[in-house]
Amino acid sequence: MKRITKHKVLAAAVALAAGTPGMAQQTVATLDTVVVTASRFKERYDDKPVNMTVISAEDIRRSPAKTVPDLLAEQAGVQIHDFFGNNAATTTIDLRGFGITGTQNTLILVDGRRVSDIDQSGVQWSAVPLANVERIEIVRGGGSVLYGDGAVAGVINIITRSPLDSKEHGSVRARVGSYNTLETGLTAQYRNGNLGLGVSASNLESDGYRRNNQNRQSNAAADLRWLTEGGELALRLATDHQGIRLPGARQVQPSTNTNQLVTDRRGAQTPLDWAQRNGNRVNFDWLQRIGGAEFNLGAGWRNKEQISYFDFGGFPDYRIADLDVLSLSPRVRWSPDLPGGKHTVVAGLDWQQWDYQLRRSNSTLNIGTPFNIIDAQQNNLSAYIQDTLQVSQRLTLTAGMRHERFKANATDTYNAAAPGGAFGSGAPAASQNESAQAYEAGARYALTPVLALTGKTARSYRFANIDEVYETSAAFLNQFQFLRPQTAQHHELGMEWRRAAAWMRAALFEIDVRDEIHLDAFTTGIGNTNLPPSRRRGLELEGRWKPASAWSLFGAYTYTEAKFREGVLPGGAFNVVIAGKTVPLVPRHKLNIGTAWTPAQGTLVSLTAAHVGAQYMDNDEGNTLGVKIPAYTVVDLKLSQRQGGWTFSAVVNNLFDRQYFNYAVRSQFVADRYNAYPLPERNAGVMAEYVFR
């Protein structure tokens, strides 16, 4: 394969920008979108050295996506892994090729507050219904300077609707679909002068594509805003609940002619397993402008309860995990009078205190006397500063740094006399104190009014979470296995071309990762480890074109090469050589294309197609299984009609009825066995919504 150099890609992009037929006489597009993720303050980003994609409210309306992860999967550099295809109940997000640890390396925010936690549970996507989202901001590349721990591959900020941004209105909606799916929801927004109030609630029930995959999700939220003299106060309250049955995997083993993907694709391997999650959050923000400075104080509390039952063939495991987090984030932005040009400085502190408790028992009746009680406390405190310097109308520079302190303490209280505790153990108490630093430097240079080049170098980091710490030794004894912080060095070169009816972005990136945190849930005694050095490099292309007022096109292509650079991975009785091997669950090629057509006022027809290349399976770091997750192509169709206050829509997902899956794991014990998680074939839904004012 020929090596693609940065210079060749940028030269091709520039040539395309300069020579696109029919575009030469069009004027420069105006960026009216105000974003917050790039600086943690509201501002336009068209002159900043940042790799950003904004998914607007109009993009959301046009897309056939039913959930936030489905919508994110349409973007360059974003890959999802979905276990069951039931309203994103167990979906993970991976940005720029981190595979199974993508969730821990991509920071997810809702209204600027992190919802990524210190465990492996992932984001509760049902807490953020797509109907409540105003826009989504994706910032690619190391984001640890502004956001700290976990922002290794980038930051995704989901912005919900503000009651101050619209007139009084409300809506009710209902959707019915395949697998006995019923979703209902309502929203209401009211504004009186400087005061705005928004409320929303929704409920979803579905049998799911697989047997033993029933899912029920509900949530409610309230948003109170008050405009003050030179500022704003905001109070947001939310609660969410999810209960889901867990069908397990479908087993494939050629040596025994076993292939449940063919013989019983929708069956359940674990007909008794289930999980439940309940969450609550309260966030307060105070924004005040004084002179030339802008202050923001954010404070929040969030609670999450997770309950799960796994039968394990008659050796059940019942768990209740409680997680509370307090956060405080004061920050300021001002423009000091310094030489070199116009400076804009952002500085602040971030503090989070996490309290985690896990109780383990063998049944719901015995949880009052658990055989293990794991308590963990974590404290993160960091300070950061970032300076954006506008040297001229063409050139903008940025530089920043962050220092973060991490403290964790963990204990495990073991009761051998408790039901199910006779063969267990308790982990000795342990603690860890660490620190990490991040920095970044970037530049943006406008070659012409429509074409700009960007470059960035950065260092990011993350700390191990509690599920990556609590594991068993080779003697099957519980222990806390603290790891070194993971660090990553980023280099990126990009270009952006923008005209009135078209936009295109290209980026080349390279990420060198050291001490990558890896949880090996499949090998006794390994538990977790810091991996040898690895490298991610790739190309991202995305663009939009509106050739006519009623017709628009978009496309996104991602090439990702994720490889281990050296070393071996301990595994059972053998050391697996991983030097030069491809990181599992990272497709090399990913292509998304789509079109939206409005043939008449109020009528919308949209079509999207996604092609995802083959991937090595989880737990196949040595790339020796001989079978990959196959490449797949899925097409989705949406038809929508607005009439007065009514909107009627119909969506068909997986239009051509493809059989596919995007997560599978290799067996640790049988050479040719693997478990796959099939996703739904063709499915459909219809929705009716009424908006009243």
Side-chain angles (χ1 to χ4, degrees), residues 25-65:
Q25 302 302 318
Q26 294 187 357
T27 59
V28 180
T30 300
L31 284 179
D32 296 322
T33 301
V34 174
V35 302
V36 297
T37 314
S39 69
R40 299 185 69 165
F41 284 90
K42 292 182 179 180
E43 63 179 8
R44 287 169 55 175
Y45 76 95
D46 52 327
D47 61 344
K48 306 295 188 298
V50 60
N51 182 337
M52 171 174 278
T53 298
V54 179
I55 306 173
S56 68
E58 184 64 17
D59 297 329
I60 296 172
R61 185 184 73 84
R62 292 176 178 176
S63 174

mmCIF file of all heavy atoms in Angstrom, residues 25-65:
data_model
loop_
_atom_site.group_PDB
_atom_site.id
_atom_site.type_symbol
_atom_site.label_atom_id
_atom_site.label_comp_id
_atom_site.label_asym_id
_atom_site.label_seq_id
_atom_site.Cartn_x
_atom_site.Cartn_y
_atom_site.Cartn_z
ATOM 1 N N GLN A 25 -17.709 31.213 -8.021
ATOM 2 C CA GLN A 25 -18.257 32.542 -7.840
ATOM 3 C C GLN A 25 -19.066 32.686 -6.554
ATOM 4 O O GLN A 25 -19.608 33.754 -6.296
ATOM 5 C CB GLN A 25 -19.170 32.873 -9.048
ATOM 6 C CG GLN A 25 -18.444 32.790 -10.391
ATOM 7 C CD GLN A 25 -17.259 33.718 -10.453
ATOM 8 O OE1 GLN A 25 -17.311 34.855 -10.011
ATOM 9 N NE2 GLN A 25 -16.146 33.216 -11.005
ATOM 10 N N GLN A 26 -19.152 31.644 -5.751
ATOM 11 C CA GLN A 26 -19.960 31.732 -4.552
ATOM 12 C C GLN A 26 -19.215 32.483 -3.461
ATOM 13 O O GLN A 26 -17.999 32.490 -3.384
ATOM 14 C CB GLN A 26 -20.351 30.337 -4.062
ATOM 15 C CG GLN A 26 -21.272 29.640 -5.055
ATOM 16 C CD GLN A 26 -21.787 28.343 -4.488
ATOM 17 O OE1 GLN A 26 -21.426 27.957 -3.405
ATOM 18 N NE2 GLN A 26 -22.650 27.683 -5.230
ATOM 19 N N THR A 27 -19.972 33.126 -2.597
ATOM 20 C CA THR A 27 -19.391 33.927 -1.528
ATOM 21 C C THR A 27 -19.042 33.052 -0.344
ATOM 22 O O THR A 27 -19.444 31.900 -0.245
ATOM 23 C CB THR A 27 -20.392 35.002 -1.085
ATOM 24 O OG1 THR A 27 -21.590 34.365 -0.648
ATOM 25 C CG2 THR A 27 -20.708 35.950 -2.224
ATOM 26 N N VAL A 28 -18.301 33.639 0.592
ATOM 27 C CA VAL A 28 -17.873 32.916 1.778
ATOM 28 C C VAL A 28 -19.067 32.689 2.693
ATOM 29 O O VAL A 28 -19.884 33.577 2.911
ATOM 30 C CB VAL A 28 -16.783 33.715 2.519
ATOM 31 C CG1 VAL A 28 -16.330 32.977 3.765
ATOM 32 C CG2 VAL A 28 -15.617 33.989 1.595
ATOM 33 N N ALA A 29 -19.161 31.472 3.250
ATOM 34 C CA ALA A 29 -20.246 31.176 4.172
ATOM 35 C C ALA A 29 -20.039 31.928 5.481
ATOM 36 O O ALA A 29 -18.927 32.133 5.938
ATOM 37 C CB ALA A 29 -20.302 29.674 4.450
ATOM 38 N N THR A 30 -21.127 32.359 6.081
ATOM 39 C CA THR A 30 -21.083 33.041 7.363
ATOM 40 C C THR A 30 -21.347 32.043 8.477
ATOM 41 O O THR A 30 -22.318 31.297 8.434
ATOM 42 C CB THR A 30 -22.145 34.152 7.418
ATOM 43 O OG1 THR A 30 -21.880 35.079 6.367
ATOM 44 C CG2 THR A 30 -22.091 34.884 8.750
ATOM 45 N N LEU A 31 -20.484 32.026 9.477
ATOM 46 C CA LEU A 31 -20.639 31.127 10.613
ATOM 47 C C LEU A 31 -21.395 31.840 11.712
ATOM 48 O O LEU A 31 -20.852 32.699 12.397
ATOM 49 C CB LEU A 31 -19.269 30.676 11.125
ATOM 50 C CG LEU A 31 -18.543 29.630 10.294
ATOM 51 C CD1 LEU A 31 -17.203 29.336 10.939
ATOM 52 C CD2 LEU A 31 -19.356 28.376 10.163
ATOM 53 N N ASP A 32 -22.678 31.529 11.869
ATOM 54 C CA ASP A 32 -23.470 32.132 12.924
ATOM 55 C C ASP A 32 -23.510 31.256 14.168
ATOM 56 O O ASP A 32 -24.006 31.682 15.208
ATOM 57 C CB ASP A 32 -24.906 32.366 12.431
ATOM 58 C CG ASP A 32 -24.944 33.379 11.285
ATOM 59 O OD1 ASP A 32 -24.158 34.339 11.350
ATOM 60 O OD2 ASP A 32 -25.743 33.192 10.365
ATOM 61 N N THR A 33 -23.020 30.016 14.070
ATOM 62 C CA THR A 33 -23.099 29.091 15.186
ATOM 63 C C THR A 33 -22.156 29.515 16.300
ATOM 64 O O THR A 33 -20.975 29.733 16.082
ATOM 65 C CB THR A 33 -22.751 27.670 14.731
ATOM 66 O OG1 THR A 33 -23.659 27.286 13.702
ATOM 67 C CG2 THR A 33 -22.860 26.700 15.887
ATOM 68 N N VAL A 34 -22.706 29.636 17.503
ATOM 69 C CA VAL A 34 -21.909 29.908 18.690
ATOM 70 C C VAL A 34 -21.658 28.581 19.390
ATOM 71 O O VAL A 34 -22.581 27.805 19.630
ATOM 72 C CB VAL A 34 -22.637 30.888 19.632
ATOM 73 C CG1 VAL A 34 -21.864 31.055 20.929
ATOM 74 C CG2 VAL A 34 -22.802 32.232 18.942
ATOM 75 N N VAL A 35 -20.400 28.304 19.712
ATOM 76 C CA VAL A 35 -20.041 27.043 20.350
ATOM 77 C C VAL A 35 -19.399 27.336 21.700
ATOM 78 O O VAL A 35 -18.958 28.450 21.985
ATOM 79 C CB VAL A 35 -19.084 26.215 19.471
ATOM 80 C CG1 VAL A 35 -19.705 25.938 18.116
ATOM 81 C CG2 VAL A 35 -17.752 26.930 19.314
ATOM 82 N N VAL A 36 -19.347 26.316 22.541
ATOM 83 C CA VAL A 36 -18.765 26.488 23.872
ATOM 84 C C VAL A 36 -17.615 25.519 24.132
ATOM 85 O O VAL A 36 -16.754 25.792 24.973
ATOM 86 C CB VAL A 36 -19.830 26.316 24.986
ATOM 87 C CG1 VAL A 36 -20.901 27.380 24.863
ATOM 88 C CG2 VAL A 36 -20.456 24.924 24.932
ATOM 89 N N THR A 37 -17.564 24.402 23.449
ATOM 90 C CA THR A 37 -16.621 23.340 23.801
ATOM 91 C C THR A 37 -15.173 23.739 23.556
ATOM 92 O O THR A 37 -14.275 23.340 24.303
ATOM 93 C CB THR A 37 -16.951 22.066 23.012
ATOM 94 O OG1 THR A 37 -18.365 21.832 23.081
ATOM 95 C CG2 THR A 37 -16.219 20.874 23.580
ATOM 96 N N ALA A 38 -14.915 24.528 22.520
ATOM 97 C CA ALA A 38 -13.538 24.852 22.154
ATOM 98 C C ALA A 38 -12.845 25.716 23.198
ATOM 99 O O ALA A 38 -11.614 25.708 23.295
ATOM 100 C CB ALA A 38 -13.508 25.544 20.799
ATOM 101 N N SER A 39 -13.593 26.499 23.988
ATOM 102 C CA SER A 39 -12.968 27.373 24.980
ATOM 103 C C SER A 39 -13.662 27.356 26.333
ATOM 104 O O SER A 39 -13.207 28.038 27.253
ATOM 105 C CB SER A 39 -12.943 28.817 24.461
ATOM 106 O OG SER A 39 -14.261 29.335 24.403
ATOM 107 N N ARG A 40 -14.771 26.603 26.470
ATOM 108 C CA ARG A 40 -15.600 26.565 27.669
ATOM 109 C C ARG A 40 -16.341 27.876 27.900
ATOM 110 O O ARG A 40 -16.899 28.112 28.968
ATOM 111 C CB ARG A 40 -14.792 26.157 28.906
ATOM 112 C CG ARG A 40 -14.177 24.777 28.790
ATOM 113 C CD ARG A 40 -13.483 24.324 30.029
ATOM 114 N NE ARG A 40 -14.418 24.057 31.124
ATOM 115 C CZ ARG A 40 -14.103 23.370 32.224
ATOM 116 N NH1 ARG A 40 -12.871 22.882 32.355
ATOM 117 N NH2 ARG A 40 -14.970 23.184 33.180
ATOM 118 N N PHE A 41 -16.385 28.734 26.883
ATOM 119 C CA PHE A 41 -17.191 29.952 26.871
ATOM 120 C C PHE A 41 -17.852 30.073 25.506
ATOM 121 O O PHE A 41 -17.334 29.578 24.501
ATOM 122 C CB PHE A 41 -16.335 31.193 27.140
ATOM 123 C CG PHE A 41 -15.933 31.370 28.575
ATOM 124 C CD1 PHE A 41 -14.751 30.817 29.039
ATOM 125 C CD2 PHE A 41 -16.732 32.087 29.451
ATOM 126 C CE1 PHE A 41 -14.365 30.981 30.358
ATOM 127 C CE2 PHE A 41 -16.362 32.246 30.780
ATOM 128 C CZ PHE A 41 -15.180 31.694 31.240
ATOM 129 N N LYS A 42 -18.979 30.770 25.454
ATOM 130 C CA LYS A 42 -19.688 30.931 24.194
ATOM 131 C C LYS A 42 -18.896 31.843 23.267
ATOM 132 O O LYS A 42 -18.531 32.959 23.633
ATOM 133 C CB LYS A 42 -21.080 31.536 24.435
ATOM 134 C CG LYS A 42 -22.044 30.623 25.162
ATOM 135 C CD LYS A 42 -23.407 31.287 25.321
ATOM 136 C CE LYS A 42 -24.392 30.375 26.029
ATOM 137 N NZ LYS A 42 -25.722 31.026 26.195
ATOM 138 N N GLU A 43 -18.638 31.337 22.048
ATOM 139 C CA GLU A 43 -17.950 32.144 21.057
ATOM 140 C C GLU A 43 -18.022 31.446 19.704
ATOM 141 O O GLU A 43 -18.304 30.255 19.612
ATOM 142 C CB GLU A 43 -16.486 32.358 21.443
ATOM 143 C CG GLU A 43 -15.663 31.085 21.500
ATOM 144 C CD GLU A 43 -14.216 31.343 21.868
ATOM 145 O OE1 GLU A 43 -13.896 32.490 22.214
ATOM 146 O OE2 GLU A 43 -13.425 30.397 21.804
ATOM 147 N N ARG A 44 -17.788 32.211 18.651
ATOM 148 C CA ARG A 44 -17.654 31.621 17.327
ATOM 149 C C ARG A 44 -16.279 30.981 17.200
ATOM 150 O O ARG A 44 -15.331 31.367 17.891
ATOM 151 C CB ARG A 44 -17.852 32.690 16.261
ATOM 152 C CG ARG A 44 -19.304 33.126 16.135
ATOM 153 C CD ARG A 44 -19.433 34.358 15.268
ATOM 154 N NE ARG A 44 -18.816 34.170 13.962
ATOM 155 C CZ ARG A 44 -18.881 35.082 12.992
ATOM 156 N NH1 ARG A 44 -19.495 36.216 13.187
ATOM 157 N NH2 ARG A 44 -18.293 34.848 11.826
ATOM 158 N N TYR A 45 -16.177 29.985 16.335
ATOM 159 C CA TYR A 45 -14.923 29.239 16.240
ATOM 160 C C TYR A 45 -14.266 29.319 14.869
ATOM 161 O O TYR A 45 -13.256 28.657 14.623
ATOM 162 C CB TYR A 45 -15.164 27.767 16.589
ATOM 163 C CG TYR A 45 -15.843 26.948 15.505
ATOM 164 C CD1 TYR A 45 -15.106 26.188 14.602
ATOM 165 C CD2 TYR A 45 -17.218 26.930 15.379
ATOM 166 C CE1 TYR A 45 -15.716 25.439 13.617
ATOM 167 C CE2 TYR A 45 -17.840 26.183 14.401
ATOM 168 C CZ TYR A 45 -17.095 25.432 13.523
ATOM 169 O OH TYR A 45 -17.709 24.704 12.558
ATOM 170 N N ASP A 46 -14.785 30.165 13.971
ATOM 171 C CA ASP A 46 -14.286 30.153 12.598
ATOM 172 C C ASP A 46 -12.854 30.652 12.477
ATOM 173 O O ASP A 46 -12.200 30.430 11.448
ATOM 174 C CB ASP A 46 -15.208 30.970 11.682
ATOM 175 C CG ASP A 46 -15.467 32.371 12.217
ATOM 176 O OD1 ASP A 46 -15.518 32.531 13.440
ATOM 177 O OD2 ASP A 46 -15.626 33.295 11.406
ATOM 178 N N ASP A 47 -12.311 31.332 13.510
ATOM 179 C CA ASP A 47 -10.928 31.782 13.428
ATOM 180 C C ASP A 47 -10.045 31.097 14.466
ATOM 181 O O ASP A 47 -8.954 31.575 14.784
ATOM 182 C CB ASP A 47 -10.855 33.308 13.617
ATOM 183 C CG ASP A 47 -11.375 33.749 14.984
ATOM 184 O OD1 ASP A 47 -12.049 32.944 15.654
ATOM 185 O OD2 ASP A 47 -11.107 34.905 15.377
ATOM 186 N N LYS A 48 -10.483 29.956 15.012
ATOM 187 C CA LYS A 48 -9.726 29.253 16.047
ATOM 188 C C LYS A 48 -9.040 28.015 15.461
ATOM 189 O O LYS A 48 -9.582 27.357 14.573
ATOM 190 C CB LYS A 48 -10.654 28.823 17.181
ATOM 191 C CG LYS A 48 -11.477 29.960 17.795
ATOM 192 C CD LYS A 48 -10.607 30.979 18.474
ATOM 193 C CE LYS A 48 -11.431 31.993 19.250
ATOM 194 N NZ LYS A 48 -12.336 32.793 18.405
ATOM 195 N N PRO A 49 -7.860 27.680 15.960
ATOM 196 C CA PRO A 49 -7.167 26.461 15.500
ATOM 197 C C PRO A 49 -7.729 25.224 16.173
ATOM 198 O O PRO A 49 -7.090 24.593 17.015
ATOM 199 C CB PRO A 49 -5.712 26.726 15.898
ATOM 200 C CG PRO A 49 -5.803 27.624 17.076
ATOM 201 C CD PRO A 49 -7.025 28.470 16.881
ATOM 202 N N VAL A 50 -8.948 24.852 15.788
ATOM 203 C CA VAL A 50 -9.626 23.736 16.435
ATOM 204 C C VAL A 50 -10.279 22.868 15.375
ATOM 205 O O VAL A 50 -10.815 23.370 14.379
ATOM 206 C CB VAL A 50 -10.662 24.250 17.463
ATOM 207 C CG1 VAL A 50 -11.709 25.126 16.794
ATOM 208 C CG2 VAL A 50 -11.338 23.092 18.191
ATOM 209 N N ASN A 51 -10.220 21.563 15.561
ATOM 210 C CA ASN A 51 -10.856 20.596 14.668
ATOM 211 C C ASN A 51 -12.232 20.291 15.233
ATOM 212 O O ASN A 51 -12.376 19.475 16.140
ATOM 213 C CB ASN A 51 -9.993 19.335 14.596
ATOM 214 C CG ASN A 51 -10.558 18.298 13.649
ATOM 215 O OD1 ASN A 51 -11.751 18.277 13.355
ATOM 216 N ND2 ASN A 51 -9.702 17.404 13.178
ATOM 217 N N MET A 52 -13.246 20.955 14.713
ATOM 218 C CA MET A 52 -14.583 20.855 15.302
ATOM 219 C C MET A 52 -15.634 20.558 14.246
ATOM 220 O O MET A 52 -15.585 21.071 13.130
ATOM 221 C CB MET A 52 -14.943 22.151 16.031
ATOM 222 C CG MET A 52 -16.402 22.212 16.493
ATOM 223 S SD MET A 52 -16.786 23.660 17.503
ATOM 224 C CE MET A 52 -16.188 23.080 19.082
ATOM 225 N N THR A 53 -16.597 19.732 14.632
ATOM 226 C CA THR A 53 -17.804 19.508 13.853
ATOM 227 C C THR A 53 -18.999 19.850 14.725
ATOM 228 O O THR A 53 -19.064 19.419 15.881
ATOM 229 C CB THR A 53 -17.914 18.055 13.382
ATOM 230 O OG1 THR A 53 -16.815 17.747 12.534
ATOM 231 C CG2 THR A 53 -19.209 17.820 12.617
ATOM 232 N N VAL A 54 -19.930 20.617 14.194
ATOM 233 C CA VAL A 54 -21.151 20.968 14.908
ATOM 234 C C VAL A 54 -22.326 20.301 14.209
ATOM 235 O O VAL A 54 -22.570 20.536 13.024
ATOM 236 C CB VAL A 54 -21.364 22.495 14.963
ATOM 237 C CG1 VAL A 54 -22.667 22.823 15.687
ATOM 238 C CG2 VAL A 54 -20.191 23.174 15.653
ATOM 239 N N ILE A 55 -23.021 19.456 14.937
ATOM 240 C CA ILE A 55 -24.249 18.828 14.428
ATOM 241 C C ILE A 55 -25.405 19.714 14.870
ATOM 242 O O ILE A 55 -25.720 19.817 16.058
ATOM 243 C CB ILE A 55 -24.416 17.410 14.982
ATOM 244 C CG1 ILE A 55 -23.172 16.571 14.702
ATOM 245 C CG2 ILE A 55 -25.645 16.742 14.380
ATOM 246 C CD1 ILE A 55 -23.187 15.211 15.372
ATOM 247 N N SER A 56 -26.034 20.386 13.935
ATOM 248 C CA SER A 56 -27.049 21.386 14.247
ATOM 249 C C SER A 56 -28.415 20.752 14.464
ATOM 250 O O SER A 56 -28.629 19.564 14.193
ATOM 251 C CB SER A 56 -27.134 22.403 13.115
ATOM 252 O OG SER A 56 -27.660 21.788 11.935
ATOM 253 N N ALA A 57 -29.360 21.567 14.930
ATOM 254 C CA ALA A 57 -30.735 21.103 15.105
ATOM 255 C C ALA A 57 -31.331 20.658 13.776
ATOM 256 O O ALA A 57 -32.109 19.696 13.717
ATOM 257 C CB ALA A 57 -31.582 22.204 15.740
ATOM 258 N N GLU A 58 -30.968 21.352 12.692
ATOM 259 C CA GLU A 58 -31.465 20.968 11.374
ATOM 260 C C GLU A 58 -30.872 19.630 10.947
ATOM 261 O O GLU A 58 -31.569 18.789 10.354
ATOM 262 C CB GLU A 58 -31.120 22.050 10.357
ATOM 263 C CG GLU A 58 -31.660 21.802 8.959
ATOM 264 C CD GLU A 58 -33.176 21.799 8.888
ATOM 265 O OE1 GLU A 58 -33.832 22.292 9.822
ATOM 266 O OE2 GLU A 58 -33.702 21.291 7.880
ATOM 267 N N ASP A 59 -29.596 19.383 11.242
ATOM 268 C CA ASP A 59 -28.988 18.081 10.948
ATOM 269 C C ASP A 59 -29.704 16.964 11.698
ATOM 270 O O ASP A 59 -29.920 15.873 11.149
ATOM 271 C CB ASP A 59 -27.511 18.083 11.342
ATOM 272 C CG ASP A 59 -26.685 19.077 10.546
ATOM 273 O OD1 ASP A 59 -27.038 19.329 9.382
ATOM 274 O OD2 ASP A 59 -25.694 19.593 11.095
ATOM 275 N N ILE A 60 -30.039 17.223 12.943
ATOM 276 C CA ILE A 60 -30.744 16.217 13.752
ATOM 277 C C ILE A 60 -32.114 15.929 13.170
ATOM 278 O O ILE A 60 -32.553 14.769 13.085
ATOM 279 C CB ILE A 60 -30.852 16.702 15.210
ATOM 280 C CG1 ILE A 60 -29.457 16.835 15.827
ATOM 281 C CG2 ILE A 60 -31.714 15.760 16.037
ATOM 282 C CD1 ILE A 60 -29.445 17.490 17.179
ATOM 283 N N ARG A 61 -32.818 16.986 12.753
ATOM 284 C CA ARG A 61 -34.167 16.805 12.188
ATOM 285 C C ARG A 61 -34.126 15.970 10.916
ATOM 286 O O ARG A 61 -35.007 15.142 10.674
ATOM 287 C CB ARG A 61 -34.795 18.171 11.905
ATOM 288 C CG ARG A 61 -36.242 18.093 11.426
ATOM 289 C CD ARG A 61 -36.769 19.468 11.071
ATOM 290 N NE ARG A 61 -36.210 19.976 9.844
ATOM 291 C CZ ARG A 61 -36.674 19.682 8.625
ATOM 292 N NH1 ARG A 61 -37.702 18.846 8.490
ATOM 293 N NH2 ARG A 61 -36.121 20.188 7.549
ATOM 294 N N ARG A 62 -33.086 16.136 10.125
ATOM 295 C CA ARG A 62 -33.019 15.433 8.846
ATOM 296 C C ARG A 62 -32.558 13.983 8.985
ATOM 297 O O ARG A 62 -32.860 13.153 8.132
ATOM 298 C CB ARG A 62 -32.061 16.164 7.908
ATOM 299 C CG ARG A 62 -32.549 17.527 7.459
ATOM 300 C CD ARG A 62 -31.497 18.226 6.622
ATOM 301 N NE ARG A 62 -31.959 19.517 6.126
ATOM 302 C CZ ARG A 62 -31.209 20.366 5.434
ATOM 303 N NH1 ARG A 62 -29.959 20.038 5.165
ATOM 304 N NH2 ARG A 62 -31.699 21.507 5.028
ATOM 305 N N SER A 63 -31.828 13.672 10.016
ATOM 306 C CA SER A 63 -31.200 12.356 10.119
ATOM 307 C C SER A 63 -32.209 11.262 10.473
ATOM 308 O O SER A 63 -33.114 11.475 11.287
ATOM 309 C CB SER A 63 -30.107 12.390 11.187
ATOM 310 O OG SER A 63 -29.583 11.105 11.403
ATOM 311 N N PRO A 64 -32.029 10.058 9.919
ATOM 312 C CA PRO A 64 -32.856 8.914 10.338
ATOM 313 C C PRO A 64 -32.447 8.344 11.694
ATOM 314 O O PRO A 64 -33.066 7.396 12.181
ATOM 315 C CB PRO A 64 -32.613 7.876 9.229
ATOM 316 C CG PRO A 64 -31.948 8.608 8.118
ATOM 317 C CD PRO A 64 -31.209 9.735 8.751
ATOM 318 N N ALA A 65 -31.402 8.873 12.311
ATOM 319 C CA ALA A 65 -30.917 8.356 13.594
ATOM 320 C C ALA A 65 -31.996 8.467 14.661
ATOM 321 O O ALA A 65 -32.728 9.458 14.732
ATOM 322 C CB ALA A 65 -29.668 9.115 14.027
#
